Amino acid sequence: MAAGYGQFCAVARALEVLGERWTLLVVRELLLGAGRFSELQRGLPRISRTVLTQRLRELERAGLVLRAAGAAGPTYALTPAGEALAPVLRELGGWAYAWDRRGLGPDHLDPETLVWDMRRRLHPERLPASLTVVQLTFRGRADKPYYLHARRPDVTLCTDSGGHPVALQVEADLEALTRFWLGERQWGQLLRAESVRLTGPAPLRRVFPTWFSGYALRP
């Protein structure tokens, strides 16, 4: 928990609970459905295990997170006090869209975070009924492809095809695909600029971008 400010101000008191680095991002991941330590790590790939453990303990002590023992390890869930932070995060995201003059820079680009967010922000009814494997590679990072195993109602992110044939290959520029995810670019713009290239059956190429609902906090 952040050091006290010695003020009665409610903003100062809130920051004593929420002002440490990574704390609000841990809350964001829990709001988006993460419930296990490994899921939190996937959504926050740059946080150390030690810091994540510390932040979860602090949130639990503050009454924002409930930890429960399970056969496969502990699970984490927000309490009503933690869930009440959802509009706070939406407002913070809206402020960044409107007023962050830096814009999207190279330091903000992270393929792990992007692909993990894509696989959880879905239109389940639009996914294929049978298993469909999509290989996604980013330019300049061809040695580390991502595999989306799609079958209604969800998508599993894997490190290989699992022996299944790859139905669609997607090669993308990381910045361009991130801007599409944030709502700053349209899919057609990416195709025309050749910022993304798809190889596979035409029907699958057409429906692929419709599987995803986009970044949760975009305006």
Side-chain angles (χ1 to χ4, degrees), residues 3 9-10 15 27 52 68 73 77 82 86 88 99 118-119 122 132 146 156 164 170 177 180 200 206 208:
C9 171
L15 287 174
V27 173
L52 178 55
V88 176
W99 298 106
M118 290 176 66
R119 49 78 46 198
L122 302 166
T132 302
Y146 299 87
T156 302
H164 302 286
V170 181
L177 191 60
F180 163 73
R206 286 194 296 270
F208 173 71

Side-chain angles (χ1 to χ4, degrees), residues 86-209:
V88 176
L89 292 183
R90 281 195 292 270
E91 288 296 323
L92 279 173
W95 177 88
Y97 268 103
W99 298 106
D100 183 5
R101 296 181 180 178
R102 299 172 302 164
L104 187 69
D107 290 345
H108 300 135
L109 302 176
D110 186 338
E112 296 281 345
T113 304
L114 175 61
V115 178
W116 183 251
D117 203 34
M118 290 176 66
R119 49 78 46 198
R120 67 184 173 189
R121 295 283 300 161
L122 302 166
H123 293 293
E125 72 282 359
R126 299 179 184 176
L127 295 175
S130 58
L131 179 63
T132 302
V133 177
V134 177
Q135 178 184 300
L136 171 59
T137 57
F138 293 102
R139 291 171 188 167
R141 305 167 188 255
D143 60 327
K144 189 175 182 181
Y146 299 87
Y147 292 86
L148 304 174
H149 290 227
R151 178 163 52 193
R152 198 180 306 151
D154 58 23
V155 170
T156 302
L157 178 60
C158 300
T159 56
D160 56 46
S161 67
H164 302 286
V166 174
L168 182 67
Q169 293 179 323
V170 181
E171 176 197 295
D173 175 83
L174 177 57
E175 179 180 349
L177 191 60
T178 302
R179 291 188 182 280
F180 163 73
W181 191 245
L182 293 173
E184 297 178 6
R185 299 285 187 276
Q186 297 298 314
W187 187 255
Q189 291 177 297
L190 269 61
L191 292 174
R192 288 191 293 274
E194 298 189 344
S195 298
V196 62
R197 293 179 181 174
L198 288 78
T199 304
L204 187 53
R205 296 200 310 268
R206 286 194 296 270
V207 300
F208 173 71

